[in-house]
Amino acid sequence: MASLPPSLSSLLFLTLALILISISPSLSTPRQPLDDHQDQQMKTGFKITLKHIDSGGNFTNSERLYRAVKRSNRRLQMFLTAKHPKLRTTVYAPAGEAEYLMNFSIGTPPKSYYGTMDTGSDLIWTQCRPCLECFSQPDPIFNPKKSSSFSNVSCSNNLCHQLPKSQCSAYDGCLYNYSYGDGSFTAGYLATETFTFKKVSVPNVAFGCGIFQFGPESGDGLVGLGRGPLSLVSQLGEPTFSYCLTSWLGSKHSTLLIGSHASVNGKIKTTPLLQNPLIPTYYYLSLEGITIGRTRLPVNKTTFALNADGSGGLIIDSGTPVTQLAESAYTHVKEEFKSQIKLPQADSTEFGVDLCFKLPSDPSDRVKIPPLVFHFKDADLALPTENYMILDSGIMCLLMRGSGDTSSTFGSIQQQNILVVYDIYKETLSFIPTECDKF
């Protein structure tokens, strides 16, 4: 399902309006005008712990790989759906399953929640009572009646106009219906609340109070870090954010840094951030080539170019585990690794990837794995071996796949143990190798 049919969408909005009318008197906290939300931004900085979705499970490396590939494939389909020209006006950034969960608190007094950190979407939302259709979540569903800082957003507020789909209730409540590329959606009313990150409290953060959800169940909601005005970074008015992801095969926590905490010192490399005007939420990079060993692959620069019609390009994404390359480029990558790694190929079906090798039975036989370098505009990124190869049970597999399309996504596994810094004002992305478990 790409989006709700018009009739169902209208019915959902009507139902939401009736619900909002019925509960509005009990949510009688003072409504601030909030005509210019930008005036209420506060400059701040904080550090948040991230938890990988598989860190608490008793999975083998092979099982983790299979799960990561499945999540990557579903995420890819969401991106492709969101890019479809006939769906752009109704389908937005993908939600999908969580890759990393971040902890925060909502309300006064604050209640703790875990939401999916997502650089591929904008809206912040959690499930709220009373709920028409809610999935089971780890923490109690947020109850606006029990928070003294909760306030509905009026339809005249500019933030309401930033929603892809919105309608007004009889009480000037801004209703939303936010659809994702995988057919999932959240619907409810837009509100403002005090959000607390560690010990830093930020008032008047706009978020979706979801009372009707359909789709994947991960955590207690979602925190969008995309480029749109409704994302957390946009609302905070902070120019920078960064993250440092630990090994996806381990259990140690990763880190998200906002504002002043996101600054970086040392030998950083910086490349421009590109923007797709047709889908402005996503962060794109200019990838100009790939080198394996000493061989620069015969891939034309235009292979990774972002086209005028919104197709192509390379998205850097926190929610895609395994990098997916434009099919023509991936073919070269696969063939070059096969040429340089002098090992027999193994069946890769059970792992969900395309290329695996049989490791020598004698552990003293060293396997030479060629280095891999991504040539971004103005910056070369040499990946650690563990960021593109996995060894398990006598098998070694390449942690990349083809997208089956002209689009590419630079995944989170390839970003592990690298401090990745987004500077939204300068329109740049910087990176520096980092031991993220010691960060």
Side-chain angles (χ1 to χ4, degrees):
M1 181 177 70
S3 62
L4 289 175
S7 57
L8 181 55
S9 180
S10 300
L11 178 60
L12 179 57
F13 269 127
L14 177 60
T15 306
L16 290 173
L18 292 174
I19 290 291
L20 188 57
I21 290 171
S22 69
I23 64 175
S24 288
S26 63
L27 299 179
S28 56
T29 53
R31 289 191 178 92
Q32 302 176 20
L34 292 175
D35 289 328
D36 188 357
H37 189 75
Q38 302 301 316
D39 290 343
Q40 304 199 28
Q41 292 174 344
M42 60 177 295
K43 303 295 181 182
T44 186
F46 46 84
K47 179 178 179 180
I48 305 172
T49 296
L50 302 176
K51 181 173 65 174
H52 191 272
I53 192 66
D54 286 340
S55 63
N58 188 25
F59 301 113
T60 65
N61 286 357
S62 297
E63 289 171 335
R64 284 198 178 198
L65 174 58
Y66 182 80
R67 288 168 58 83
V69 171
K70 287 294 186 183
R71 291 195 299 272
S72 298
N73 290 343
R74 285 192 284 267
R75 185 83 167 177
L76 172 64
Q77 292 307 310
M78 298 176 216
F79 278 125
L80 295 179
T81 301
K83 287 184 177 185
H84 195 284
K86 292 184 178 180
L87 297 175
R88 283 195 193 117
T89 58
T90 56
V91 178
Y92 299 87
E97 297 168 295
E99 197 63 23
Y100 290 92
L101 297 171
M102 58 182 283
N103 181 237
F104 55 92
S105 296
I106 308 176
T108 306
K111 301 295 182 182
S112 180
Y113 295 95
Y114 278 91
T116 300
M117 178 193 81
D118 190 10
T119 58
S121 62
D122 296 324
L123 184 67
I124 306 165
W125 64 268
T126 190
Q127 301 189 120
C128 291
R129 293 189 182 278
C131 214
L132 290 176
E133 182 66 37
C134 282
F135 55 76
S136 175
Q137 65 178 47
D139 301 297
I141 293 175
F142 179 65
N143 189 345
K145 294 180 182 179
K146 296 185 178 180
S147 173
S148 62
S149 50
F150 179 89
S151 182
N152 293 92
V153 168
S154 71
C155 291
S156 61
N157 190 296
N158 183 54
L159 287 173
C160 187
H161 303 154
Q162 300 297 334
L163 286 163
K165 286 183 180 179
S166 65
Q167 288 189 12
C168 291
S169 77
Y171 284 80
D172 288 329
C174 178
L175 305 181
Y176 76 89
N177 173 12
Y178 205 82
S179 301
Y180 295 93
D182 61 345
S184 61
F185 65 86
T186 173
Y189 48 94
L190 198 64
T192 61
E193 255 293 11
T194 296
F195 276 62
T196 303
F197 306 94
K198 292 288 186 178
K199 296 181 179 180
V200 178
S201 293
V202 185
N204 300 319
V205 174
F207 75 109
C209 217
I211 60 175
F212 197 106
Q213 277 67 236
F214 173 78
E217 304 172 9
S218 295
D220 304 321
L222 188 143
V223 179
L225 297 178
R227 289 182 159 191
L230 289 167
S231 76
L232 177 64
V233 289
S234 294
Q235 291 195 60
L236 293 177
E238 292 290 353
T240 58
F241 73 94
S242 63
Y243 49 73
C244 204
L245 307 178
T246 59
S247 172
W248 66 292
L249 296 175
S251 57
K252 295 184 178 179
H253 72 264
S254 297
T255 304
L256 170 68
L257 304 106
I258 304 282
S260 59
H261 284 63
S263 60
V264 59
N265 298 310
K267 296 181 179 180
I268 64 171
K269 294 185 177 182
T270 300
T271 186
L273 278 172
L274 307 180
Q275 188 168 27
N276 185 341
L278 299 177
I279 316 175
T281 291
Y282 304 155
Y283 297 96
Y284 283 83
L285 300 179
S286 178
L287 179 60
E288 299 183 336
I290 299 172
T291 293
I292 298 175
R294 296 182 178 179
T295 303
R296 178 79 176 238
L297 302 183
V299 178
N300 195 297
K301 284 185 179 181
T302 59
T303 301
F304 301 110
L306 178 58
N307 302 314
D309 65 355
S311 63
L314 179 138
I315 299 168
I316 181 168
D317 184 40
S318 66
T320 299
V322 177
T323 288
Q324 316 255 10
L325 294 176
E327 197 63 36
S328 60
Y330 176 70
T331 299
H332 288 294
V333 169
K334 181 178 178 180
E335 293 305 314
E336 191 60 34
F337 272 118
K338 287 165 63 175
S339 173
Q340 294 192 32
I341 296 178
K342 308 300 181 180
L343 292 173
Q345 287 184 239
D347 183 11
S348 61
T349 307
E350 65 175 294
F351 306 107
V353 293
D354 287 331
L355 182 61
C356 292
F357 300 93
K358 292 180 180 179
L359 294 172
S361 55
D362 187 347
S364 64
D365 291 341
R366 296 188 63 185
V367 176
K368 187 176 181 180
I369 302 174
L372 173 64
V373 179
F374 277 70
H375 302 287
F376 296 105
K377 182 177 176 61
D378 302 328
D380 292 342
L381 177 60
L383 293 181
T385 304
E386 61 269 21
N387 286 29
Y388 60 95
M389 287 288 181
I390 180 172
L391 287 72
D392 187 58
S393 304
I395 301 292
M396 178 176 71
C397 296
L398 176 64
L399 294 169
M400 293 183 194
R401 287 175 57 90
S403 69
D405 188 75
T406 59
S407 300
S408 301
T409 309
F410 194 68
S412 61
I413 292 177
Q414 281 62 52
Q415 300 174 56
Q416 65 182 358
N417 286 314
I418 298 172
L419 179 62
V420 181
V421 184
Y422 295 71
D423 192 315
I424 301 169
Y425 288 1
K426 293 181 180 178
E427 294 286 319
T428 61
L429 182 130
S430 302
F431 44 80
I432 182 170
T434 305
E435 293 182 78
C436 292
D437 60 342
K438 299 178 182 178
F439 195 79

